Amino acid sequence: MGPPTQPAIAFVNPSVGFSDRRKSKPIGLAYIMAYLEKHGFPSSGFDFGDSEDDAVELAGTYGLDRFDVVGFSVYNESLRAAVAMAGWIKSRRPDCLIVLGGPHATAVHEHILRRHPCVDVVVRREGEEAMLELVRGLGDRARLTGIRGTTWRAPDGSGDDGSGDDGSGDDGSRGGGDDSSGGTGTGTGAVGLLVNKDRDLVPDLDQIPFPDAEFTSHSGYPDLTYYDEVQGRLKAALTICSSRSCPYNCSFCGVLTIGRTYRSREAERVVAELFHFRERHGVTYEHVYFSDANFFVSPARALEVAEALYEADPRVTFSFGTRVNQILKAAEVLPRLKECGLRFIELGIESASEPVLERLAKHVKPEVNMAAVRLLRRLGIEISLDFIMLDPATTLADIRANMEFLREAGFYDYVPHDHLYTALVLYEGTPIRDFYARRFGVVFDPDDLPNPFALFELTEVQRFSDTLRAFRKQWQGRIDRALAQGELALASLGDDFAEDGSRRDGPPEVGSRRAGSPGYGEGFSRMSHARLQLDVVSLRHAPNLLAERLLTDAEAGFPLLDRGGLEALLPCPGHDGVPLHDLIARTEAMAREAGCARAPDAVGPHGRD
Amino acid sequence: MQRITSELPYLDQAGHVYVPLAGPARSCLKLNRHASRIWREALRRPVDLEDLPAPDRDFLLGLTRRGVLHTAPAPEGG
Ligand code: B12
Ligand code: SF4
């Protein structure tokens, strides 16, 4: 029986086992699905991105063996889940074409085909056009295996005869990963494989449809929101990708695997996408999270997008990610961006240590980080911090530089505290992974992501990291909960007062010094309000103070830790220097008193996730 | 000489002074490094406001006017 003329196609975002980020639709897959749909090939999407369920069970529950073609989007973390699902599908439906794509699949395409027989083909780099050719040509397997940008197992095991290239991308992208000797024309490294030439990246992003696709998910999607402090309200938010790739070359970056040619969209198409999804979902999206790898490559274009959004609807606010040197280079554009609704920038600071910045190939000095932070603060543009506290060769001096930076730059007040606990992840296809493989004299298994918390060269750094993680495990959840309750209580108390401090619905009482003065509810005094404010600040500081104390102890050879364990390092923060445990209990009690305590999992209004 | 006190408890932590209810809409005011230094010195021992540089004096007087700080003549010898 030949293949169906209208094949049943599915795309799956397999699980990474957890997600440390807020769940949102897999944009890359949505682009591919919309592209196929436009060309007459509808497909079904499944998003199990953060599921903790068994992969095979999920495949069974959602009937993934119903399809003629199943494409998986593969991250480093999700390869195993993808392969488990693919194996199950193949065992029940051997003629199903199993396609892998995405950053990790691109990086180790040859390895995947060698090690995992259930995978038929890897689509390297961007998937729209290659995928369309695949579904169009299903009937002719011989033609199929010649599609550009794809890698196959050779049917007779003969391998590449020279039609391929090394998968390292003619635009300098990093695809090719572990087996970059493969398919260079001699075929030695790629014996048994057909590595077809790279396909050009989508040249004009405005020619492809908006990423409009539906996904079935095990857990649904939370409404994407943004709490706009300026306008004082929660807004429905939409993620838009207005450009692809990035002209920089940071050694740890997983984006460049897909291709290094930066391309951007026209401002009016970005606005059109916002209105398209408003209408499609019946939701008035009023904040745009730009998911671009680097939105600010061209400040002039960034301004065009911002002005177009503002003109279309001045209520719309937006945020984006970029690197520090660009902030400084385009300082003159920032005030206008702010006028047009820019609320925060996700800033790739990564480290404050010069040697680490060099390893990460950031090509910026620590002073540039500080200057960019100061500039944004001056302009009143919020910063969302991208930071890598530790990498395998980190020294205590590097950590000291990081802590000093965080303190100097005012990030002790910053939440969430995740940046304190981050360690560099060595993604396949990134130069830093190769750097460490060489340095350690090892070959990392391409199926595995080395545990970033077990790679430290220095025992004192390992111990620092272990102790910090122990603190996180024991205390961070409690701190977060108390903070959420405290902040919520303060927010609701704050709502009762106008800018000048007067009670919104009562007479002004500037300078009032009486505890229990009018303006506070039953049993909650002005003094309690003041104390709660200070305790919330202290809770924000607490993990930083712990990290500082731990670092000082590490520098002295861990005398305190040896004697008293983690307990001995816990800070006593607050205006009256209370033990952390008491500070948490006191904050929760005061929040309750203020009448705003919530269920333990409730969170207060927040800017972004 | 003036003795300056804070009406409410305050926090001096991580290099900055935090003053509760002293910001807009009664938010907590984080003083910058310089202002934190002025605050600390002013509250540590009696000061002669007239001797301070004008901006520092205005800063302290501003807080006094808003009821955040109290000033009273310092007792002799103190
Ligand atoms: C927005 C975003 C998210 C969002 C949405 C996720 C999503 N799946 O879209 C959220 C916040 C949920 C998220 C979570 C995570 N993310 Co993320 N994310 C991004 C970000 C910033 C933008 C994604 C985007 O809009 N891309 C634009 C689209 C068009 O490109 P694309 O996704 O690469 O897709 C194209 C190709 O890859 C290819 N393709 C992709 N899948 C497939 C499948 C098939 C069958 C085919 C043929 C082709 C194909 O075709 C697509 C269209 O051209 C990227 C960085 C970046 N700018 O790319 C990181 C990035 C993709 N994320 C990354 C990581 C690690 C994660 C997490 C694992 C983090 C974590 N530990 O929890 C999770 C995993 C989530 C999951 N499994 O769904 C890494 C991946 C690195 C790697 N080599 O694995 C990146 C590259 C950032 C980095 N650190 O360098 N992420
Ligand atoms: S600036 Fe950002 S997107 Fe660009 S290479 Fe560096 S980490 Fe990647």
Side-chain angles (χ1 to χ4, degrees), chain B:
Chain B
M1 292 289 260
Q2 305 279 301
R3 155 93 45 209
I4 300 186
T5 50
S6 168
E7 184 223 347
L8 292 167
Y10 64 93
L11 179 69
D12 190 350
Q13 194 166 271
H16 293 268
V17 168
Y18 295 79
V19 189
L21 306 181
R26 300 198 176 196
S27 58
C28 186
L29 186 67
K30 178 182 179 182
L31 302 186
N32 66 27
R33 277 177 200 284
H34 178 74
S36 296
R37 236 182 342 264
I38 306 297
W39 174 285
R40 275 184 213 113
E41 275 159 27
L43 271 73
R44 190 174 304 141
R45 64 179 88 86
V47 285
D48 196 341
L49 283 171
E50 295 311 310
D51 287 351
L52 292 178
D56 298 356
R57 187 179 55 237
D58 292 349
F59 164 69
L60 292 172
L61 287 176
L63 290 175
T64 308
R65 266 196 302 279
R66 291 168 51 209
V68 175
L69 290 176
H70 299 172
T71 54
E76 279 303 302

Side-chain angles (χ1 to χ4, degrees), chain A residues 407-408 410 412-413 497-499 501 509 511-513 520 526-527 529-531 533-534 537-538 541 545 573-575, chain B residues 7-16 18-30 33 64 66-67 69-70:
Chain A
R407 186 191 248 265
E408 276 295 303
Y412 275 28
D413 296 311
F497 294 98
E499 278 287 299
E509 44 164 341
S512 162
R513 287 167 214 156
Y520 292 98
R526 180 171 152 79
M527 180 61 86
H529 189 177
R531 289 211 164 111
Q533 278 188 345
L534 297 183
V537 173
S538 289
H541 289 182
L545 299 175
H575 61 98
Chain B
E7 184 223 347
L8 292 167
Y10 64 93
L11 179 69
D12 190 350
Q13 194 166 271
H16 293 268
Y18 295 79
V19 189
L21 306 181
R26 300 198 176 196
S27 58
C28 186
L29 186 67
K30 178 182 179 182
R33 277 177 200 284
T64 308
R66 291 168 51 209
L69 290 176
H70 299 172

Side-chain angles (χ1 to χ4, degrees), chain A residues 278-328:
Chain A
R278 274 186 176 184
E279 196 176 318
R280 184 91 161 86
H281 300 152
V283 177
T284 310
Y285 296 113
E286 286 183 315
H287 183 85
V288 178
Y289 291 107
F290 283 108
S291 74
D292 307 34
N294 187 349
F295 179 84
F296 209 40
V297 169
S298 158
R301 187 204 72 108
L303 195 55
E304 276 170 30
V305 172
E307 286 181 335
L309 280 174
Y310 186 73
E311 211 164 286
D313 182 349
R315 290 168 305 176
V316 173
T317 50
F318 63 95
S319 50
F320 61 79
T322 192
R323 39 166 32 240
V324 286
N325 59 322
Q326 285 181 292
I327 293 291
L328 294 180

Side-chain angles (χ1 to χ4, degrees), chain A residues 420-448:
Chain A
L420 288 173
Y421 307 112
T422 47
L424 177 71
V425 180
L426 301 177
Y427 288 115
E428 269 291 359
T430 59
I432 196 90
R433 179 161 163 137
D434 298 339
F435 168 86
Y436 276 115
R438 278 196 307 277
R439 185 163 166 136
F440 297 158
V442 298
V443 178
F444 295 122
D445 182 338
D447 281 4
D448 277 337

Side-chain angles (χ1 to χ4, degrees), chain A residues 11 13-16 18-29 31-32 47 49-50 71-78 99-104 123 125-128 131 239 241 244 252-255 257-258 291-293 427-428:
Chain A
F11 287 96
N13 185 31
S15 173
V16 293
F18 68 93
S19 182
D20 54 13
R21 309 213 185 164
R22 188 180 182 130
K23 187 172 176 186
S24 74
K25 285 187 182 170
I27 303 166
L29 283 184
Y31 264 112
I32 296 174
D47 181 6
D50 58 353
F72 291 93
S73 188
V74 184
Y75 291 61
N76 242 137
E77 284 98 327
S78 62
V99 188
L100 263 55
H104 184 69
V123 170
R125 315 210 288 165
E126 290 177 346
E128 285 88 346
M131 206 59 222
T239 303
C241 184
R244 290 191 187 177
F252 59 94
C253 179
V255 172
T257 317
I258 298 299
S291 74
D292 307 34
Y427 288 115
E428 269 291 359

Side-chain angles (χ1 to χ4, degrees), chain A residues 245-483:
Chain A
S245 198
C246 171
Y248 290 90
N249 214 351
C250 305
S251 65
F252 59 94
C253 179
V255 172
L256 305 180
T257 317
I258 298 299
R260 275 207 64 211
T261 307
Y262 173 76
R263 289 141 298 147
S264 61
R265 297 169 53 193
E266 294 291 332
E268 58 269 30
R269 293 292 293 164
V270 175
V271 174
E273 183 167 335
L274 173 69
F275 282 84
H276 170 89
F277 282 110
R278 274 186 176 184
E279 196 176 318
R280 184 91 161 86
H281 300 152
V283 177
T284 310
Y285 296 113
E286 286 183 315
H287 183 85
V288 178
Y289 291 107
F290 283 108
S291 74
D292 307 34
N294 187 349
F295 179 84
F296 209 40
V297 169
S298 158
R301 187 204 72 108
L303 195 55
E304 276 170 30
V305 172
E307 286 181 335
L309 280 174
Y310 186 73
E311 211 164 286
D313 182 349
R315 290 168 305 176
V316 173
T317 50
F318 63 95
S319 50
F320 61 79
T322 192
R323 39 166 32 240
V324 286
N325 59 322
Q326 285 181 292
I327 293 291
L328 294 180
K329 265 199 277 182
E332 74 288 351
V333 171
L334 292 168
R336 179 68 190 134
L337 287 182
K338 193 182 169 202
E339 280 167 20
C340 292
L342 171 61
R343 286 295 188 263
F344 72 85
I345 293 181
E346 183 169 341
L347 201 54
I349 290 175
E350 320 304 358
S351 176
S353 152
E354 202 158 344
V356 178
L357 286 169
E358 269 169 31
R359 264 202 300 283
L360 299 179
K362 289 297 292 184
H363 302 299
V364 293
K365 299 272 182 215
E367 311 81 86
V368 179
N369 285 337
M370 190 59 100
V373 169
R374 294 225 162 104
L375 175 64
L376 291 176
R377 289 263 161 74
R378 214 169 36 246
L379 294 172
I381 298 169
E382 294 280 325
I383 298 170
S384 163
L385 185 59
D386 277 352
F387 205 70
I388 300 170
M389 182 61 102
L390 306 169
D391 88 326
T394 289
T395 63
L396 293 182
D398 298 328
I399 304 175
R400 174 61 67 195
N402 284 345
M403 291 310 300
E404 273 170 11
F405 165 77
L406 292 173
R407 186 191 248 265
E408 276 295 303
F411 286 114
Y412 275 28
D413 296 311
Y414 180 90
V415 284
H417 293 110
D418 297 1
H419 60 279
L420 288 173
Y421 307 112
T422 47
L424 177 71
V425 180
L426 301 177
Y427 288 115
E428 269 291 359
T430 59
I432 196 90
R433 179 161 163 137
D434 298 339
F435 168 86
Y436 276 115
R438 278 196 307 277
R439 185 163 166 136
F440 297 158
V442 298
V443 178
F444 295 122
D445 182 338
D447 281 4
D448 277 337
L449 202 53
N451 175 359
F453 297 103
L455 292 174
F456 303 114
E457 291 180 352
L458 300 175
T459 49
E460 59 271 27
V461 174
Q462 185 67 56
R463 196 164 177 208
F464 173 90
S465 165
D466 292 346
T467 313
L468 197 59
R469 278 156 58 78
F471 171 80
R472 181 186 206 181
K473 203 163 160 218
Q474 281 176 39
W475 291 94
Q476 191 62 52
R478 297 168 65 188
I479 292 173
D480 289 345
R481 276 191 296 276
L483 257 178

Side-chain angles (χ1 to χ4, degrees), chain A residues 13-94:
Chain A
N13 185 31
S15 173
V16 293
F18 68 93
S19 182
D20 54 13
R21 309 213 185 164
R22 188 180 182 130
K23 187 172 176 186
S24 74
K25 285 187 182 170
I27 303 166
L29 283 184
Y31 264 112
I32 296 174
M33 290 169 67
Y35 192 76
L36 294 194
E37 170 103 39
K38 179 184 164 195
H39 290 90
F41 293 94
S43 57
S44 310
F46 297 90
D47 181 6
F48 309 126
D50 58 353
S51 169
E52 290 176 14
D53 298 338
D54 178 73
V56 170
E57 267 173 34
L58 279 173
T61 308
Y62 289 89
L64 297 187
D65 53 350
R66 284 175 289 150
F67 298 95
D68 303 302
V69 180
V70 181
F72 291 93
S73 188
V74 184
Y75 291 61
N76 242 137
E77 284 98 327
S78 62
L79 177 72
R80 285 180 192 279
V83 167
M85 285 179 159
W88 181 82
I89 296 169
K90 259 311 199 215
S91 69
R92 301 172 60 89
R93 190 172 180 138

